[in-house]
Amino acid sequence: MPTIRILPDRVANQIAAGEVIERPAAVVKELVENSLDAGATRIEVEFRTGGRAYIRVEDNGPGLTRDDALLALERHATSKIAEAADLDRLATFGFRGEALPSVASVSRFELQTRSVGEESGTEILVNGGKFVHVHECGRPVGTRIVVSHLFNSVPARRKFLKSDATESAHIIHCVRLYALACPQAAFTLIEDGRVIFRSPECATTADRVAEIFGRQIAGSLLTVEAAEPGLRLAGLIGRPGTGRATRHEMITFVNRRPVDSRTLSYALIESYHEALPKGRYPLAFLFLEIDPAAVDVNVHPAKREVRFRAEAQVRAFVVRAVLDRLRELTADAGAGALVTGGPIGSMAGSLPAAPSAGSTPVESRIAAPFPVYRPLPAPFPPPAGDGGVRPAPPPAPIAVPGLRTSWRFVGVVQGAYAVFDTDAGLVLLDRRAAHERIWYERLRAQFATGRAGTQRLLLPVPIELDAITTALLVDRLEFLNDHGFEIAEFGRNFFRVEGVPEWMAPSDAEAFLRDLLGALREGGLGAKDPDLARDELARLAAARAVRLPETAGEAEMNNLGSQLFSCRQPLTSPAGKPTYVELSRGEIERRFQK
Ligand code: ADP
Ligand code: MG
């Protein structure tokens, strides 16, 4: 029989650390939460080499006495709750009393603190969970914690860390979230000796958003506010038509705590159902206030997720609030204010951002005409065997290779499907899927030969990004520039798109780039093998940047069919969906019960 033992504190702490402290950003998160919980109004965060070597968090809060400081390093020592029922009244970020001992167990941990009313401060040093010393020190009131050599004693954890740039991006994102959550505190963030942002106390969330996410984004958002008994929602949301390819810019808070809440993100997505095309996500900074007893924050080790007791009610409330705001906007538009364009529904198909204060629509910034860019139908190579010089021959039925059958064009239904009569029955060709397949293979071939031409934009498109996306983009910049883009970095988190590949309509450049950045954040184009990355780029381009030609007559549809069947894999779109479906004569007769 194995003997049961109580684990020594040091081991228990390291195990707890494994859950709470997954990466350097988690240390920053815990320390910043503590400073805010203590009521600090000035917080400075400094880190080096992605936080691995050095993290310092310093505040002007009330500090700790020597006894309290020693106690704070014990497991389950907290000043924030006394009993389980206090969780129902929770008004602080922390409550488990686990963070400090966890961090101290996996790093060299130095705490200096002086409490109000004390003459001198206390310094405590712990190394890899082993107590080293405690003595007096001089310092102003407040607390300063320096964490260095993170995970030195936990090689397994070190192995999971990503590049410095990625870890640093996570830290920056984390500090931004808390800066948003608490605009009334001043924040300074310093990386490797450089100030990344310094934001004074702000009067409103909107000011804070502008301070740290950029005025370009802030200026384009709408405010939303709503309340019902027990619930209050406030925040900023994107305009109809301004979507993102990923959920990363849907930022949600519950009682000021930054959380990933499925309930809130689904509510948001649902609210934008008619305001954004399928697969696009809104931009949002949403703050939900709710009775602490109606939400469980104790469901995730890092407290990133929460559970609502009345989930359906919260969801319905948020949907109503956001929808009302979006509808109000549409009503304004009808009265000739702010936004041009029809009802929200009719904007759904338009990818580029709806016109908004502070940002000029892309189209108007890019001057026509472009000598290089040709609309899509033209660049299709003429059908095989046609010398490549003369215009396409008069339409003839499509000979489907290998099937010894031919397709005769009947018409186009719903704008989307071309109907063909065949010897075997009926074919419905999905124009979009076929078109994407053809373009995908063309782009693959073009990338493989390294002939990716660029068209320069007359007016470069400025793009401002957050730190994580910046790090990812910098990593792929060379790759993109080798494939027809011309993107230059100018200033921290700012880029300028000076050229786009020839195959892209310049007016699509910004929307496509935002999608591309979204894909990067999801781990896209990350393949070490450039061939795989090229494949992804071609797939993305075919799906997002290639427009369906407007004309869909017999000649065009026959041409589309022949193009498709000269592809290597004509049966599916690059996303693996069928390009056409066939109804056999037998099937048709069965349907008519013949
Ligand atoms: P928790 O935040 O869950 O209470 P921690 O381990 O993070 O647990 O912190 C333990 C205790 O140390 C806190 O409850 C608080 O009393 C004290 N403390 C930590 N950081 C600070 C700080 N920056 N200023 C004042 N007190 C702090
Ligand atoms: Mg804490």
Side-chain angles (χ1 to χ4, degrees):
M1 279 287 283
T3 348
I4 299 179
R5 273 184 292 268
I6 302 266
L7 292 173
D9 267 358
R10 186 157 165 251
V11 180
N13 285 338
Q14 279 178 346
I15 291 170
E19 292 198 343
V20 182
I21 310 298
E22 15 165 26
R23 59 179 357 146
V27 173
V28 173
K29 168 184 183 290
E30 294 296 336
L31 299 182
V32 169
E33 284 191 350
N34 280 348
S35 298
L36 290 168
D37 280 346
T41 56
R42 235 181 27 241
I43 298 175
E44 191 167 299
V45 179
E46 181 182 358
F47 68 97
R48 293 185 206 136
T49 59
R52 246 178 273 248
Y54 180 90
I55 295 172
R56 172 177 64 89
V57 176
E58 193 159 349
D59 67 47
N60 68 344
L64 290 158
T65 62
R66 182 185 176 118
D67 288 350
D68 279 349
L70 284 167
L71 198 57
L73 287 166
E74 297 291 330
R75 203 160 146 70
H76 306 311
T78 178
S79 56
K80 299 168 195 174
I81 60 171
E83 53 179 6
D86 290 342
L87 282 176
D88 285 347
R89 305 180 271 268
L90 196 66
T92 51
F93 292 117
F95 53 85
R96 295 198 188 115
E98 263 182 349
L100 294 187
S102 297
V103 175
S105 74
V106 292
S107 66
R108 181 184 185 278
F109 177 94
E110 187 192 85
L111 167 88
Q112 286 188 353
T113 185
R114 187 179 132 208
S115 105
V116 227
E118 283 202 315
E119 296 284 290
S120 66
T122 305
E123 177 183 300
I124 300 176
L125 180 66
V126 181
N127 197 356
K130 285 197 204 109
F131 179 82
V132 180
H133 69 230
V134 52
H135 47 59
E136 263 185 23
C137 71
R139 61 151 295 117
V141 170
T143 304
R144 170 190 198 264
I145 291 176
V146 174
V147 171
S148 47
H149 308 302
L150 185 62
F151 301 134
N152 258 10
S153 53
V154 202
R157 180 67 44 168
R158 271 189 95 81
K159 270 204 283 252
F160 282 99
L161 295 185
K162 301 278 189 316
S163 70
D164 284 358
T166 303
E167 293 303 336
S168 136
H170 280 280
I171 294 179
I172 296 170
H173 181 65
C174 165
V175 179
R176 281 180 160 187
L177 286 183
Y178 284 90
L180 282 171
C182 303
Q184 73 289 350
F187 279 82
T188 306
L189 177 63
I190 304 166
E191 176 189 11
D192 295 322
R194 271 185 312 165
V195 173
I196 297 204
F197 72 81
R198 191 190 295 281
S199 176
E201 293 155 37
C202 292
T204 64
T205 307
D207 291 346
R208 203 23 90 68
V209 170
E211 279 271 324
I212 58 186
F213 277 80
R215 300 195 186 269
Q216 198 182 16
I217 287 189
S220 70
L221 299 172
L222 307 166
T223 52
V224 56
E225 245 186 291
E228 71 177 39
L231 290 169
R232 210 178 89 82
L233 186 77
L236 299 161
I237 56 175
R239 282 168 191 272
T242 313
R244 297 285 191 252
T246 72
R247 302 159 186 248
H248 293 290
E249 284 167 75
M250 299 194 318
I251 298 181
T252 52
F253 302 81
V254 172
N255 293 340
R256 280 198 317 154
R257 183 190 304 279
V259 292
D260 298 329
S261 160
R262 282 165 78 85
T263 310
L264 295 184
S265 25
Y266 283 145
L268 265 168
I269 293 169
E270 201 176 319
S271 316
Y272 276 80
H273 178 70
E274 292 192 333
L276 286 176
K278 206 161 163 265
R280 312 281 304 173
Y281 300 98
L283 263 156
F285 300 92
L286 270 196
F287 293 78
L288 180 77
E289 275 170 46
I290 182 169
D291 175 1
V295 56
D296 189 354
V297 288
N298 197 19
V299 290
H300 185 273
K303 296 169 278 178
R304 252 200 322 267
E305 288 163 22
V306 294
R307 191 174 298 141
F308 297 108
R309 306 246 146 94
E311 187 152 326
Q313 187 205 348
V314 171
R315 181 176 166 143
F317 166 68
V318 173
V319 171
R320 220 169 20 248
V322 175
L323 262 185
D324 281 355
R325 183 63 182 103
L326 294 176
R327 294 209 172 116
E328 210 176 285
L329 185 75
T330 318
D332 287 355
L338 267 175
V339 174
T340 53
I344 292 172
S346 73
M347 288 189 210
S350 65
L351 281 183
S356 60
S359 82
T360 329
V362 184
E363 284 87 341
S364 66
R365 277 189 262 132
I366 299 174
F370 283 82
V372 195
Y373 170 68
R374 284 153 295 165
L376 272 189
F380 279 135
D386 179 58
V389 190
R390 285 169 288 123
I398 303 159
V400 179
L403 292 181
R404 265 192 278 120
T405 173
S406 57
W407 291 8
R408 291 168 299 274
F409 178 71
V410 179
V412 170
V413 289
Q414 297 176 0
Y417 308 103
V419 184
F420 293 90
D421 179 21
T422 74
D423 298 341
L426 198 68
V427 160
L428 283 170
L429 176 73
D430 182 338
R431 291 179 62 205
R432 178 90 229 172
H435 202 69
E436 286 182 10
R437 163 55 64 185
I438 296 163
W439 267 95
Y440 166 74
E441 295 205 1
R442 282 172 61 83
L443 291 174
R444 283 299 283 129
Q446 197 192 67
F447 292 167
T449 56
R451 286 186 291 108
T454 299
Q455 43 180 336
R456 289 189 59 92
L457 302 181
L458 293 188
L459 288 169
V461 179
I463 294 199
E464 185 180 6
L465 302 177
D466 61 47
I468 296 190
T469 321
T470 297
L472 293 166
L473 180 58
V474 168
D475 275 357
R476 314 285 193 284
L477 215 50
E478 199 183 326
F479 173 80
L480 291 174
N481 287 347
D482 282 350
H483 289 83
F485 291 90
E486 251 181 67
I487 305 175
E489 200 178 355
F490 78 120
R492 191 167 177 105
N493 299 345
F494 273 96
F495 293 84
R496 220 160 51 188
V497 185
E498 289 162 354
V500 294
E502 274 173 8
W503 42 263
M504 188 188 296
S507 55
D508 289 341
E510 184 167 353
F512 181 75
L513 267 157
R514 294 261 175 215
D515 284 357
L516 186 78
L517 295 166
L520 288 180
R521 282 200 67 148
E522 308 271 84
L525 301 185
K528 294 240 161 46
D529 179 355
D531 212 47
L532 285 180
R534 267 185 220 126
D535 192 60
E536 262 187 88
L537 181 61
R539 218 179 282 275
L540 195 68
R544 304 269 195 194
V546 172
R547 286 197 193 163
L548 211 53
E550 272 172 20
T551 40
E554 177 167 5
E556 288 86 6
M557 291 304 100
N558 280 339
N559 193 21
L560 183 66
S562 349
Q563 298 286 332
L564 179 65
F565 283 101
S566 54
C567 285
R568 280 185 304 135
Q569 291 176 34
L571 302 186
T572 55
S573 76
K577 305 242 174 79
T579 47
Y580 66 90
V581 293
E582 202 160 7
L583 268 181
S584 68
R585 194 172 294 149
E587 171 66 18
I588 296 171
E589 284 172 356
R590 236 188 337 275
R591 292 290 181 96
F592 285 107
Q593 304 182 358
K594 284 188 180 153

